[in-house]
Amino acid sequence: MSFVYPNFLWAYLLIAIPIIVHLFNFRRYKTIYFSRVEFLKEVTEDSKSGLKLKHLLVLISRILAIICLVTAFAQPYIPLEDAANIENITSVYIDNSYSMEAEGKDGNLLNEAKNQAIDVVRSMDENERINLITSDLLSKHQRFYSKSEVIDMIKEIEFSAKSTSLTNVLSLQLDLFNGAADKANKRIFLFSDFQKSSNDLTDFKREGVSTFYYQAEAQNKGNVYIDSVWFQTPVHRVNTPIDIFFRIYNETDEEQIDLPVNLSIDGSNPGPKRINVPANSFVDEKITFTEKGTGIKNGKLTITTNQLFFDDEFYFSYEIKEEVKILLITDATEKNINIEQLYGLDDYYNCQTTSINTVSQEDFKGKELIIFQNVNNIPSGLMDIINDGLKSGITVMFIPGKNINMNNWDGFMSQYNLPTFLPLDSSSASLSYFNDDDPLYTGVFEGKPSNFKHPKLKANYDLFISNANNFITLFGTGPTNPFLYYSKQLNGKIIVMTAPLDLAYSDFQIHALFAATMLRFAETASFQKPLYMEIGNMGNFPLNTEIDEKAQVRLINKEFEVDVIPLVVNTESSRAISFSHMEDQLKQAGIYDLTNEKDFKEKIAINYSRNESVTECFENEEIKESFESVGWQNAQPLAVNDSGTVEINQIDAKEYWRILLILGLIFLAIEILILRLWNVIKFSK
């Protein structure tokens, strides 16, 4: 037997009051004189015995009434698993992800869940060991506390940008139980909105324990939010129109009419746009603006809604460069000026030309696109320089000469797992395969190219292609017979042509698609940093420059009072900045400075994950069925009474306070009946 409010049992001391009254009866007796007392002897003896019985019955009624009432207010119960186990241990999970920001019947859903959880914890034994878990999965929550400590911790819970799956929560709770006493009554309490996106238990396989869950339900279903932002082309130039695309979801049953969308670039507003979003659907739209200056730009897209608010803003960051720096390395014996002339048409393409025989390490500094044009040998001294450049995210293009050194070229190609060269094939063919769906050509053509004359191939080097080779064909006689292909390597890209750039081998250099392709190689050659990152799913940020190792890189946002040191990871193949160890410190979306305050300055846009934006939730019965499908037959919803609070008697299977309250009232009624009807009963005899 346990009690919800055991301290109330001190009221048993009230039993002393009727006992004292009974033992020290201060009633005043009136003396009546009779001449013949012997006539009253029989009556007196009968009266004394009757009074003793009456007083005893009244005393017993009062004592029983007090016992019943005091015990009822202490709320006695027998726990569900009150067997031979020596202690109770409980784990409570409160979902504090941003989906709990929705309005419920008691303020936002998080506030509702906290209030219900506090009521449940208060009903537990004083000596019960209780664990509290939130979506943050903080290390301090991975231990057990007293009842009062847990209540204080619940009151301090705030919204979190983390989205944690129910399988991870349950696994942690069970692991904590396994580290506790073997003989213990184990219970799990879950307070959440039970979104379908994060509460699926399909693949969960753990032995079940007694589980109670409370589903906080939003008053207004659905959500309207910004899902994503993107550029169709990675190229952004000064005084050139830029299209920023965005997707907005409407998960409500009503169409959103004239929804205002505001774009901000470095504080300036190119102009709001109003859109219509059908019910339970989405739209892709764009805002066009023209940028007047170069440098790193900070953008923010904003909508205004009346439900969840964390996903009404979307941050992004990009860079507008003054120029792209190109290094063209040629063989003096096989000179061709087509590429030089093409890049000379616009100052944006800063092309420097040098000979394969005189090229030096200094020539490579700061270059984003390096082209080896019609060269027969790749100097071994350039191998390390090329490899470092690929780590930094540059693009390297190789165009073979007429008399290549097979061993030299194949050694280089094998290093990057690319197809190796075979002897020259002089048979003519049409380059009928053009991969216009490749992201390289995104935004280049207004429509899909068709009915154009295919480039003619007169001779080229055959390739030995193995299943281990990894490349994407742009032009060729077929997808697996490339004339021009590329392969992503490290942080950069390698482009290979299988024939010299010469009219004796192909007419590709005078084809219209040659200019579009080579210009896009230059425009996409520079390092492309992530447009944005997501809290809870932050990958590595690739480094494209050497940085001073003595100056620590820091992630800073003064508004949010964030100043942390991420981890710089250097491997043989890449350099990057890792944020995996500091996700707990990134709690707010916004623009952050990534800098060593010396030779490295970047901006990173960080957004909240959109996992919590999808508000579709399981129905109450679906939650129970989900538990049963993985073998948890002892999971059940917490019942709520008319006042909106959890029914404690459901948690504690056998409770007696109502019965005791009724019994207390019955004993009081018996006392009244004895006092009022005793004489009537006596004289009726």
Side-chain angles (χ1 to χ4, degrees):
M1 178 73 71
S2 300
F3 298 90
V4 176
Y5 304 106
N7 290 335
F8 206 86
L9 296 177
W10 286 99
Y12 279 142
L13 295 176
L14 294 174
I15 295 173
I17 296 175
I19 294 176
I20 292 172
V21 172
H22 179 75
L23 294 178
F24 302 97
N25 192 335
F26 298 112
R27 288 183 60 186
R28 294 181 178 180
Y29 294 95
K30 184 178 181 180
T31 303
I32 300 175
Y33 297 95
F34 287 89
S35 59
R36 300 293 294 269
V37 178
E38 62 270 15
F39 294 127
L40 299 175
K41 182 177 181 181
E42 185 178 346
V43 177
T44 303
E45 289 177 355
D46 183 61
S47 297
K48 284 183 178 180
S49 61
L51 286 173
K52 286 181 180 180
L53 178 59
K54 174 185 176 183
H55 292 163
L56 183 60
L57 290 176
V58 170
L59 175 63
I60 293 173
S61 299
R62 289 174 177 173
I63 291 174
L64 290 176
I66 292 174
I67 290 174
C68 290
L69 292 175
V70 169
T71 308
F73 281 106
Q75 294 191 26
Y77 65 92
I78 296 177
L80 287 174
E81 299 181 13
D82 191 29
N85 294 340
I86 59 175
E87 65 173 327
N88 294 327
I89 57 173
T90 299
S91 181
V92 178
Y93 167 65
I94 298 179
D95 181 1
N96 63 330
S97 60
Y98 269 115
S99 66
M100 300 289 283
E101 192 178 48
E103 286 298 311
K105 59 187 178 184
D106 189 15
N108 58 59
L109 298 186
L110 177 59
N111 186 60
E112 179 181 327
K114 287 165 62 176
N115 289 339
Q116 300 289 13
I118 289 173
D119 286 342
V120 169
V121 172
R122 280 178 176 159
S123 73
M124 297 176 185
D125 291 341
E126 289 297 328
N127 61 346
E128 187 155 351
R129 297 169 60 197
I130 308 170
N131 160 253
L132 175 66
I133 294 177
T134 66
S135 301
D136 297 287
L137 299 183
L138 299 177
S139 57
K140 72 175 183 178
H141 290 159
Q142 297 178 27
R143 52 166 293 196
F144 292 92
Y145 295 87
S146 68
K147 185 165 79 171
S148 59
E149 289 175 322
V150 169
I151 291 174
D152 290 338
M153 292 168 65
I154 292 175
K155 293 177 180 178
E156 295 174 357
I157 294 176
E158 296 180 350
F159 288 108
S160 169
K162 292 288 189 67
S163 176
T164 305
S165 68
L166 183 58
T167 57
N168 288 340
V169 170
L170 292 173
S171 295
L172 177 57
Q173 290 176 310
L174 294 175
D175 291 341
L176 290 169
F177 284 158
N178 291 337
D182 292 333
K183 290 187 176 182
N185 301 316
K186 301 169 183 176
R187 295 185 301 178
I188 287 176
F189 291 88
L190 307 171
F191 298 86
S192 173
D193 57 357
F194 291 95
Q195 283 181 289
K196 289 186 176 181
S197 60
S198 57
N199 289 275
D200 185 14
L201 296 176
T202 303
D203 299 323
F204 185 69
K205 300 185 184 300
R206 296 286 294 270
E207 186 177 351
V209 300
S210 181
T211 303
F212 300 89
Y213 56 87
Y214 175 84
Q215 184 176 29
E217 297 186 44
Q219 296 293 316
N220 297 319
K221 305 292 185 181
N223 184 29
V224 180
Y225 63 95
I226 305 173
D227 175 72
S228 54
V229 166
W230 71 94
F231 291 107
Q232 279 198 344
T233 171
V235 182
H236 315 299
R237 298 176 60 178
V238 177
N239 298 322
T240 302
I242 299 174
D243 292 330
I244 179 71
F245 290 81
F246 54 89
R247 174 171 292 178
I248 294 182
Y249 271 92
N250 175 16
E251 291 191 339
T252 69
D253 294 330
E254 297 180 0
E255 181 180 9
Q256 299 293 312
I257 304 220
D258 287 338
L259 179 69
V261 182
N262 294 287
L263 174 65
S264 171
I265 304 293
D266 284 343
S268 64
N269 300 298
K273 184 169 187 173
R274 291 186 175 273
I275 63 173
N276 297 333
V277 190
N280 298 303
S281 185
F282 70 89
V283 295
D284 292 340
E285 280 285 353
K286 69 177 181 178
I287 295 178
T288 302
F289 62 98
T290 301
E291 190 58 67
K292 300 297 183 181
T294 60
I296 298 175
K297 305 295 180 180
N298 302 321
K300 182 174 75 171
L301 205 68
T302 307
I303 61 175
T304 302
T305 64
N306 58 2
Q307 180 60 302
L308 301 181
F309 309 109
F310 76 96
D311 49 15
D312 290 351
E313 295 180 335
F314 204 102
Y315 296 89
F316 58 97
S317 179
Y318 61 97
E319 183 176 9
I320 294 184
K321 302 177 71 68
E322 291 185 12
E323 60 183 8
V324 56
K325 296 181 179 180
I326 306 167
L327 177 62
L328 179 62
I329 303 173
T330 64
D331 189 323
T333 61
E334 298 188 21
K335 193 169 180 64
N336 187 302
I337 61 171
N338 286 61
I339 294 178
E340 234 176 314
Q341 289 179 332
L342 177 64
Y343 289 143
L345 296 175
D346 192 324
D347 291 340
Y348 178 74
Y349 307 100
N350 182 352
C351 183
Q352 172 190 342
T353 305
T354 186
S355 169
I356 188 70
N357 299 318
T358 60
V359 66
S360 65
Q361 185 172 351
E362 288 295 320
D363 294 326
F364 287 82
K365 285 188 176 180
K367 301 302 188 292
E368 295 155 293
L369 172 62
I370 299 170
I371 303 174
F372 289 86
Q373 178 186 294
N374 295 0
V375 297
N376 293 307
N377 283 281
I378 304 173
S380 58
L382 300 181
M383 296 293 189
D384 290 340
I385 299 175
I386 293 171
N387 199 59
D388 287 341
L390 291 170
K391 286 183 182 180
S392 300
I394 70 169
T395 297
V396 184
M397 183 175 185
F398 295 96
I399 304 175
K402 298 175 182 178
N403 300 293
I404 64 171
N405 182 332
M406 286 287 188
N407 291 331
N408 172 266
W409 272 75
D410 289 350
F412 183 82
M413 295 295 147
S414 298
Q415 179 182 347
Y416 294 100
N417 198 26
L418 298 174
T420 54
F421 280 75
L422 296 174
L424 198 68
D425 180 2
S426 299
S427 57
S428 299
S430 174
L431 298 178
S432 57
Y433 177 76
F434 170 46
N435 186 6
D436 59 329
D437 291 327
D438 190 85
L440 179 77
Y441 297 104
T442 300
V444 173
F445 311 109
E446 291 185 1
K448 195 175 182 67
S450 60
N451 299 324
F452 62 90
K453 185 178 180 182
H454 298 293
K456 297 296 182 181
L457 181 64
K458 300 176 183 178
N460 74 310
Y461 293 99
D462 277 339
L463 296 175
F464 176 76
I465 301 174
S466 70
N467 292 332
N469 295 149
N470 181 22
F471 64 90
I472 297 174
T473 302
L474 293 177
F475 287 90
T477 56
T480 58
N481 295 300
F483 165 75
L484 180 66
Y485 71 85
Y486 74 88
S487 174
K488 294 180 179 179
Q489 299 287 337
L490 308 179
N491 291 327
K493 184 164 55 180
I494 291 178
I495 304 169
V496 179
M497 188 180 290
T498 62
L501 197 64
D502 190 292
L503 290 175
Y505 292 82
S506 75
D507 64 355
F508 180 62
Q509 67 189 66
I510 59 174
H511 195 276
L513 290 174
F514 170 76
T517 301
M518 295 303 295
L519 291 178
R520 186 43 64 98
F521 282 157
E523 293 165 346
T524 61
S526 59
F527 166 74
Q528 301 294 321
K529 74 172 186 178
L531 189 62
Y532 58 87
M533 305 183 87
E534 284 188 353
I535 296 175
N537 188 31
M538 294 186 66
N540 289 347
F541 185 90
L543 281 173
N544 66 321
T545 58
E546 292 280 359
I547 59 175
D548 188 347
E549 295 182 358
K550 296 181 181 179
Q552 288 183 320
V553 176
R554 295 156 59 200
L555 187 67
I556 301 172
N557 186 302
K558 294 181 179 179
E559 179 185 355
F560 304 148
E561 298 182 351
V562 172
D563 189 344
V564 293
I565 300 175
L567 182 65
V568 179
V569 180
N570 285 289
T571 67
E572 292 183 0
S573 60
S574 64
R575 291 189 299 269
I577 295 176
S578 172
F579 305 98
S580 59
H581 66 295
M582 49 180 288
E583 296 245 359
D584 290 341
Q585 297 167 282
L586 299 178
K587 300 180 180 180
Q588 292 176 277
I591 303 293
Y592 290 74
D593 293 314
L594 186 64
T595 178
N596 63 359
E597 297 184 336
K598 190 175 181 182
D599 56 354
F600 176 68
K601 293 183 179 180
E602 263 293 356
K603 299 275 189 181
I604 296 183
I606 299 179
N607 290 294
Y608 299 120
S609 170
R610 264 41 186 178
N611 291 339
E612 295 295 313
S613 299
V614 183
T615 57
E616 185 179 7
C617 299
F618 287 110
E619 297 294 332
N620 207 286
E621 280 304 312
E622 289 179 318
I623 302 171
K624 186 175 179 62
E625 291 171 2
S626 181
F627 275 106
E628 291 175 347
S629 68
V630 294
W632 284 41
Q633 304 298 328
N634 49 358
Q636 57 182 305
L638 286 168
V640 179
N641 58 31
D642 294 337
S643 63
T645 57
V646 171
E647 287 282 5
I648 303 301
N649 64 300
Q650 181 209 11
I651 303 171
D652 310 303
K654 296 182 180 179
E655 50 83 30
Y656 303 98
W657 68 270
R658 289 186 180 87
I659 297 174
L660 290 168
L661 184 60
I662 294 171
L663 286 175
L665 295 175
I666 290 174
F667 287 126
L668 288 175
I670 290 173
E671 177 194 350
I672 294 171
L673 288 173
I674 291 172
L675 292 174
R676 291 191 176 183
L677 302 179
W678 182 262
N679 291 331
V680 175
I681 296 172
K682 177 182 175 182
F683 288 119
S684 66
K685 292 180 180 180

